Amino acid sequence: MAGITVGVVLIPQAIAYALLMGVPPIYGLYACLIPLILYAFFGTSRQLSIGPVAVTAILVMSGVSQLATPFTEEFTTLVLFSGFLIGVLQIALSAMRMGFLVNLISQPVISGFISAAAIIIIVSQFKEALGIHIPDFKHLYQTLWYTITHISEVHWITFGMCLFAILTMVILKRWKRSFPGALFVLVITTLATYLLKLKDRGVAVIEDVPSGLPSFNIPQMDYDTMIALIPSVLTVTFIGYVGSIGIAKSLEMKNRDHVVRPNQELFALGIAKVIGAFFLSIPSSGSYSRSAINDEAGGKTTVSSIITVVMVVISLLFLTSFFYYVPKSVLAAIILISVFGLININEAKYLLTLRRRDFLVMLITFIGTLIFGVEKGIFIGVILSFIFLQYYSSRPHVAELVNIPGTRYYRNINRFPDALKSETYLIIRFDDQLYFGNTSYFKDAILEYLSKRDSLPKFLILDTTNIHDIDSSGIHVLEDIHQYLEDCKVQLIISGTIGPVRDFLKRSGFTDKLGPQHNFLNISDAVDYTENKTAYKKGLEAAVQYNERRSFLD
């Protein structure tokens, strides 16, 4: 039942997304055969439904359209070659155990990009939804302006049919989420177009769709074309994988009856595209809506995907003649309904209240994608994320710790201003790895804390609990600080160093230079040492003074 339910949703979506990608609708159905079968055998998610999706379609359309005109044979050939290259790259990443690369694209970047891509998709459907002939412009604002200035040319039957389809699908979805609203609307409007002869009255239809299953075909490949397609291939590879693994992980957490393995998912998605390209399959990815429907309908294994394939095969063999009168405006409505929910306004509000810099990354990615296009937009977002990451990593949190009265706990003086502050020692905690990017900040922070003291402490206790890694630049700055403190008659003491960092300090020779007696497991032990050392020194000084007085009296 889950396979049948997904199938009735997938068939109209596959046709619509093929048109969105710039290829004949039959290729959307072809993408629902071999890829689904291969993923059923190699994938690790039991509910993930793959196939043509809107974001992948617009990404491929954007990249390949720079090399060929959509809906031409050359364009279709390049789309199939793109799918092959994307699959090869995903298999290569899987072989190198590079599934972690998904973490290089932050959630704000993904949210900003997908929201902008959804708007680009919506604008791209104005031509079919309104029945206006809109030239293929390079920039979004040009399409918008042309539409506004030619709004009087709207074909009202086409627009009315699109509006009817949207309203009907929305109502049916609210009534019953699992009801195949898209298929229902498609059947009703197709019958209306045929019976009322709306094609003769200017309603655009998809016309001839060849029947039969795809034949084996080797995509045309050459080096120069591959180089030209690389930007698009890289973008689709990462965005498609991020979306698919995100959906798979969410379903894993919900059902808790299987484990999703990222590297195996990369291989499954990759092999589905590579083999699929030889059977005329356009690039496919995981679909959130269809995966959710699959889960809600009771799908517990990938057998449901096999059932979906059977439905597509039946459609290809016996039902393609009925696709002739499918109105393009209704396919546009299906796309509009699918992508409207991708505009994530709630995420923007959440980031604005939670963390402004994440909101800024999302906003700039969103605007950059709208202005410069999908490929450059995602690149802008990733670069901006790394800039912010580097900036905040180079200026990590540094705190002076003080003793909470009556306890053995030491906390940030800014949060506990009434805690006990010692004149004997200064405790500094550094909350990040110590590497070349923040060594100068680390050194300046320690010198600043020392300069705030009326008199220099006898000991500087460096709490390294949160320093999880140190590189060679970090070692050099530690040596510089140690030498500076020795010149100032201040003893450096280290506490709380984790094992790997402690081993690195030992290999570098810094532990021997500092002295093993100046390395403690926790702050309390280090403080006890300083107090005992101070008490011993005071006792020694008192004894010396006493002996000097006795000698004078004698």
Side-chain angles (χ1 to χ4, degrees):
M1 288 305 300
I4 293 171
T5 305
V6 172
V8 297
V9 175
L10 174 60
I11 291 170
Q13 284 189 348
I15 295 171
Y17 294 149
L19 293 173
L20 179 60
M21 195 177 289
V23 298
I26 189 66
Y27 288 93
L29 295 174
Y30 289 161
C32 304
L33 300 176
I34 300 298
L36 271 69
I37 294 173
L38 290 171
Y39 183 83
F41 283 97
F42 294 106
T44 59
S45 174
R46 297 183 179 181
Q47 287 85 27
L48 182 66
S49 175
I50 69 168
V53 295
V55 174
T56 298
I58 196 66
L59 284 170
V60 173
M61 171 70 163
S62 175
V64 179
S65 62
Q66 299 177 24
L67 305 177
T69 304
F71 299 104
T72 62
E73 186 176 346
E74 180 187 6
F75 185 91
T76 303
T77 300
L78 291 176
V79 167
L80 296 175
F81 187 32
S82 296
F84 174 80
L85 293 175
I86 295 165
V88 169
L89 181 57
Q90 288 181 332
I91 292 174
L93 292 174
S94 172
M96 294 185 288
R97 318 299 293 175
M98 301 287 278
F100 70 90
L101 286 176
V102 66
N103 299 321
L104 296 181
I105 306 178
S106 66
Q107 187 59 42
V109 171
I110 296 171
S111 297
F113 166 76
I114 291 180
S115 296
I119 292 177
I120 292 173
I121 292 170
I122 290 171
V123 173
S124 72
Q125 295 306 297
F126 283 176
K127 177 169 60 175
E128 305 298 348
L130 301 175
I132 300 175
H133 175 70
I134 302 175
D136 293 326
F137 292 109
K138 185 177 181 181
H139 299 289
L140 181 73
Y141 70 87
Q142 293 173 311
T143 304
L144 281 172
W145 180 248
Y146 185 91
T147 304
I148 293 171
T149 55
H150 292 75
I151 197 70
S152 60
E153 300 175 10
V154 169
H155 188 265
W156 291 105
I157 298 178
T158 298
F159 177 64
M161 190 170 285
C162 178
L163 194 60
F164 166 78
I166 291 174
L167 293 175
T168 303
M169 284 187 286
V170 169
I171 292 171
L172 290 174
K173 188 175 183 181
R174 289 186 177 181
W175 170 63
K176 190 174 183 180
R177 182 179 175 86
S178 60
F179 187 83
L183 185 64
F184 175 78
V185 167
L186 204 65
V187 171
I188 294 298
T189 54
T190 301
L191 287 174
T193 303
Y194 173 73
L195 296 174
L196 301 177
K197 301 186 184 303
L198 296 181
K199 182 177 182 296
D200 298 334
R201 301 177 65 179
V203 174
V205 296
I206 64 175
E207 298 183 351
D208 291 320
V209 176
S211 62
L213 301 178
S215 57
F216 181 81
N217 177 72
I218 299 177
Q220 295 182 15
M221 310 176 190
D222 63 80
Y223 178 79
D224 292 336
T225 303
M226 181 183 71
I227 296 300
L229 289 172
I230 280 179
S232 176
V233 167
L234 290 173
T235 306
V236 178
T237 296
F238 284 100
I239 294 299
Y241 175 63
V242 166
S244 299
I245 197 69
I247 298 165
K249 284 288 187 181
S250 65
L251 292 171
E252 173 196 17
M253 292 296 293
K254 179 184 176 183
N255 294 288
R256 301 183 182 277
D257 58 355
H258 63 283
V259 176
V260 173
R261 298 191 297 274
N263 288 305
Q264 180 66 24
E265 283 295 295
L266 263 176
F267 176 79
L269 294 169
I271 197 70
K273 291 182 181 66
V274 170
I275 304 300
F278 290 98
F279 292 91
L280 306 178
S281 297
I282 57 177
S284 56
S285 299
S287 166
Y288 182 80
S289 61
R290 295 196 298 270
S291 299
I293 290 171
N294 187 28
D295 182 53
E296 290 173 5
K300 295 298 180 185
T301 71
T302 53
V303 170
S304 61
S305 294
I306 304 298
I307 303 300
T308 300
V309 171
V310 172
M311 289 197 63
V312 177
V313 169
I314 293 172
S315 298
L316 285 169
L317 292 177
F318 306 109
L319 302 178
T320 53
S321 59
F322 294 99
F323 295 151
Y324 184 95
Y325 286 99
V326 171
K328 289 186 177 180
S329 60
V330 175
L331 295 176
I334 293 172
I335 293 173
L336 292 174
I337 286 291
S338 300
V339 303
F340 188 77
L342 298 177
I343 303 175
N344 205 337
I345 298 175
N346 290 332
E347 179 73 7
K349 293 179 179 178
Y350 175 71
L351 292 178
L352 182 60
T353 56
L354 181 68
R355 178 164 287 187
R356 296 287 179 87
R357 71 171 184 257
D358 286 347
F359 172 76
L360 187 61
V361 170
M362 179 180 179
L363 182 62
I364 293 176
T365 304
F366 176 78
I367 295 173
T369 303
L370 289 180
I371 295 176
F372 301 107
V374 289
E375 293 170 356
K376 293 179 181 177
I378 191 71
F379 180 75
I380 289 171
V382 171
I383 294 298
L384 189 63
S385 293
F386 275 99
I387 290 174
F388 273 110
L389 177 65
Q390 185 62 36
Y391 174 78
Y392 286 102
S393 180
S394 66
R395 301 174 61 83
H397 181 254
V398 183
E400 177 183 355
L401 306 185
V402 288
N403 177 242
I404 299 177
T407 72
R408 299 279 285 175
Y409 298 113
Y410 295 83
R411 295 293 184 267
N412 189 341
I413 191 174
N414 295 328
R415 298 182 183 273
F416 298 88
D418 298 328
L420 300 178
K421 188 173 183 178
S422 173
E423 296 296 327
T424 304
Y425 56 80
L426 169 65
I427 308 175
I428 299 294
R429 190 186 70 212
F430 189 74
D431 294 334
D432 202 350
Q433 62 176 328
L434 185 57
Y435 75 114
F436 67 91
N438 60 25
T439 52
S440 295
Y441 181 78
F442 172 73
K443 184 175 181 179
D444 292 342
I446 289 180
L447 296 180
E448 183 179 354
Y449 277 109
L450 289 171
S451 65
K452 290 180 180 178
R453 291 290 186 113
D454 296 332
S455 59
L456 288 176
K458 295 181 175 61
F459 300 93
L460 172 65
I461 302 175
L462 179 62
D463 178 22
T464 61
T465 307
N466 295 335
I467 300 180
H468 58 86
D469 192 23
I470 298 181
D471 67 2
S472 58
S473 299
I475 288 293
H476 288 311
V477 80
L478 281 176
E479 292 173 344
D480 292 343
I481 291 172
H482 180 227
Q483 185 60 52
Y484 172 81
L485 293 175
E486 279 197 337
D487 295 341
C488 296
K489 308 300 182 184
V490 178
Q491 175 62 57
L492 175 63
I493 295 176
I494 292 180
S495 72
T497 310
I498 64 173
V501 174
R502 192 165 58 246
D503 295 340
F504 184 72
L505 294 177
K506 179 68 176 176
R507 290 198 307 272
S508 69
F510 181 76
T511 300
D512 296 332
K513 186 179 296 185
L514 181 65
Q517 71 276 15
H518 298 139
N519 204 321
F520 296 89
L521 291 177
N522 54 62
I523 297 175
S524 297
D525 291 345
V527 169
D528 290 343
Y529 171 81
T530 63
E531 291 176 345
N532 293 335
K533 194 79 171 177
T534 302
Y536 174 77
K537 188 175 182 180
K538 287 181 178 178
L540 186 61
E541 290 175 350
V544 171
Q545 291 176 0
Y546 174 77
N547 289 331
E548 288 177 349
R549 285 197 299 271
R550 286 291 303 270
S551 299
F552 175 75
L553 292 174
D554 291 342

